[in-house]
Amino acid sequence: RRGAGRCHRQRQRVAAASGGGVAIAQAANVLPAAVVQGKKPAGPLPPVFPVPEQWQRQPSEQLEDHGICFYSLADVFPEAPGIADAFDEDAGFRHKLRWATREDLFDPIARFSAKANAMIKALDGTLICSLRRPDQPAEPRPCPELTKLFEERGWPELTGTTFIERLFTLCGDVSFQVMDRERASGSFSDIVAPGGGEHKWHQDSGWNKVTVLLGFPAEDRFSGEGVFSHVARLSHALPVPEKAVPLVFGETHCAGAQIPEECVWRPPYCKGAELLAYLDYTTVHSAPDRTYREALWRLQ
């Protein structure tokens, strides 16, 4: 059964990848045992949406595992005691974390001016970067600003490189190839679009890949909806897209169909469940009814 056990495998597949890709395999980035053994279940989920037969990729292969689970920052980064508390209680820390990450991952666009690049990198707009430099996929980025931030918080054992690379291990192997249909490509997005309101259900690629979200709530000590994307589980996989472009439910696939309210899952954000994972091809997702966040990181 495709998809079965994937959430378990994504936490353990950190060995070198084959087929010309480059995988994250440094010892410092292997997930701690607390994460491997203690992923947090999503709790009760709404009913699965029954995909119309004409849109089922394989009618005989009903999806049973959608890869949905939560992770805790405290478990992922045990060498940074109190990181979950700081993230939960200190808006300034969350802001600096986003700023430092943009400083460390953004590659200036050569044809643009310094002013234009600064505007692209600014925190008030969505930014899409690569985990590693596209021309140096075998070399992790040094991430000095993140390292400096962690040292200031009293976490000298956590480097910026370890932080960002370990987050991506939650996606499984990273091949750094955009057209890879099974492994993460190393795409990092810091999303600040307000969204909300009418649902626009979609898949980012429709391929058999894990998406990981890190939520940045709009206020300290927040617990509730509006931080993570809303998710609906599918009974069957949809036809395989040929390109890594968004698959829009009700338009490019399942034309005219709608996700009923009873199938909509609104993931709750809280301390200890700051990270959400799901399989892209077994689900569709949408901006929340009401967005209540500073930002949302998306790792793929």
Side-chain angles (χ1 to χ4, degrees):
R1 298 184 179 94
R2 299 198 66 183
R6 180 64 180 272
C7 198
H8 172 72
R9 294 195 301 274
Q10 74 199 44
R11 300 188 306 276
Q12 296 183 323
R13 287 172 29 180
V14 290
S18 60
V22 180
I24 296 171
Q26 291 110 332
N29 298 322
V30 174
L31 288 173
V35 179
V36 175
Q37 299 171 0
K39 62 126 178 169
K40 302 177 186 298
L45 294 171
V48 171
F49 173 76
V51 175
E53 185 174 357
Q54 66 270 28
W55 287 102
Q56 297 175 6
R57 184 183 304 182
Q58 293 289 341
S60 62
E61 296 185 5
Q62 186 166 346
L63 300 171
E64 296 188 4
D65 185 352
H66 298 78
I68 296 175
C69 54
F70 288 105
Y71 296 100
S72 165
L73 285 173
D75 289 342
V76 178
F77 302 107
E79 66 270 62
I83 190 172
D85 294 326
F87 195 85
D88 179 55
E89 301 170 2
D90 189 347
F93 172 68
R94 296 192 299 272
H95 183 86
K96 290 179 181 178
L97 184 64
R98 292 183 56 230
W99 178 86
T101 302
R102 289 185 176 224
E103 290 291 319
D104 287 340
L105 297 189
F106 178 69
D107 295 313
I109 302 171
R111 67 180 184 275
F112 290 169
S113 66
K115 181 178 180 180
N117 276 302
M119 291 177 64
I120 294 172
K121 188 174 60 175
L123 287 169
D124 60 353
T126 294
L127 182 69
I128 300 176
C129 298
S130 176
L131 171 62
R132 297 182 182 178
R133 288 182 58 91
D135 59 345
Q136 297 178 323
E139 299 294 329
R141 295 181 188 264
C143 300
E145 295 296 341
L146 280 169
T147 298
K148 180 181 177 180
L149 174 61
F150 298 146
E151 288 176 347
E152 292 173 352
R153 302 295 302 205
W155 306 321
E157 296 184 4
L158 179 60
T159 67
T161 299
T162 295
F163 174 79
I164 198 67
E165 297 251 333
R166 189 181 294 166
L167 279 179
F168 267 89
T169 64
L170 298 174
C171 298
D173 292 337
V174 183
S175 69
F176 303 100
Q177 297 178 4
V178 175
M179 298 302 290
D180 194 320
R181 300 190 178 198
E182 296 285 335
R183 296 170 296 178
S185 66
S187 174
F188 169 88
S189 301
D190 184 6
I191 302 169
V192 297
E198 182 181 1
H199 285 137
K200 192 77 169 181
W201 297 101
H202 63 283
Q203 296 177 339
D204 292 317
S205 70
W207 293 346
N208 186 12
K209 302 167 75 165
V210 175
T211 294
V212 174
L213 305 177
L214 172 59
F216 287 74
E219 63 180 71
D220 293 342
R221 300 178 178 85
F222 177 75
S223 178
E225 301 171 0
V227 176
F228 293 125
S229 303
H230 291 174
V231 180
R233 297 180 297 160
L234 302 177
S235 65
H236 295 77
L238 301 173
V240 182
E242 293 301 318
K243 298 180 180 180
V245 296
L247 182 161
V248 182
F249 182 88
E251 296 181 12
T252 62
H253 289 63
C254 297
Q258 294 183 343
I259 299 294
E261 171 62 26
E262 61 266 23
C263 295
V264 176
W265 181 50
R266 296 169 172 82
Y269 171 93
C270 67
K271 177 183 174 182
E274 304 92 353
L275 292 143
L276 171 67
Y278 56 81
L279 275 170
D280 190 59
Y281 88 106
T282 67
T283 60
V284 289
H285 60 276
S286 169
D289 303 321
R290 174 176 172 268
T291 300
Y292 196 66
R293 64 195 183 204
E294 176 187 348
L296 183 71
W297 280 8
R298 182 181 65 196
L299 285 62
Q300 295 175 315

